Amino acid sequence: SRTSKRVWLKYIPPRVQFFVCLAWKGRLKTADFLLRIGVLNANASTLYIMCKSVDESINHVLLSCPVTWRVWSKILNWGGGVQGALPDTVEAILH
């Protein structure tokens, strides 16, 4: 698919490729993933440690958390003051 080709570009470092692939496939070890596969018990807190307001999921950690958004804003500003919005899912970014 077009998305998978964007993950495996030769100028992207292998560690980044692997991380993006895990995020795209929904396999990052976030609290919601660990709960879903039975590593965490049902009583464990799944709140994201950085904001403590929403369950830790791939999309929240990488895109929608207010702490993450501050980082993205700084990155966009380094690119010449670019302003914009990010899609709400990792897959949407790769598309």
Side-chain angles (χ1 to χ4, degrees), residues 34-56:
L34 296 173
L35 184 65
R36 199 169 55 244
I37 65 170
V39 172
L40 293 178
N41 70 38
N43 297 331
S45 173
T46 58
L47 290 179
Y48 183 42
I49 195 166
M50 298 296 284
C51 65
K52 294 181 173 66
S53 63
V54 177
D55 286 342
E56 183 182 281

Side-chain angles (χ1 to χ4, degrees), residues 58-65 68 72 86-90 93:
I58 292 170
N59 293 321
H60 182 73
V61 170
L62 296 179
L63 302 172
S64 63
C65 176
T68 304
W72 278 116
L86 290 173
D88 61 348
T89 66
V90 170
I93 285 178

Side-chain angles (χ1 to χ4, degrees), residues 4-94:
S4 63
K5 289 179 184 174
R6 290 190 172 114
V7 172
W8 302 111
L9 297 172
K10 63 182 172 187
Y11 59 83
I12 297 176
R15 286 182 182 181
V16 175
Q17 290 175 337
F18 183 68
F19 178 82
V20 171
C21 185
L22 288 176
W24 172 49
K25 300 278 188 180
R27 305 272 183 192
L28 289 179
K29 306 308 183 250
T30 58
D32 71 335
F33 176 81
L34 296 173
L35 184 65
R36 199 169 55 244
I37 65 170
V39 172
L40 293 178
N41 70 38
N43 297 331
S45 173
T46 58
L47 290 179
Y48 183 42
I49 195 166
M50 298 296 284
C51 65
K52 294 181 173 66
S53 63
V54 177
D55 286 342
E56 183 182 281
S57 69
I58 292 170
N59 293 321
H60 182 73
V61 170
L62 296 179
L63 302 172
S64 63
C65 176
V67 176
T68 304
W69 179 245
R70 284 194 294 273
V71 173
W72 278 116
S73 295
K74 288 185 184 293
I75 290 169
L76 291 172
N77 283 328
W78 287 338
V82 175
Q83 293 186 4
L86 290 173
D88 61 348
T89 66
V90 170
E91 186 172 5
I93 285 178
L94 292 173

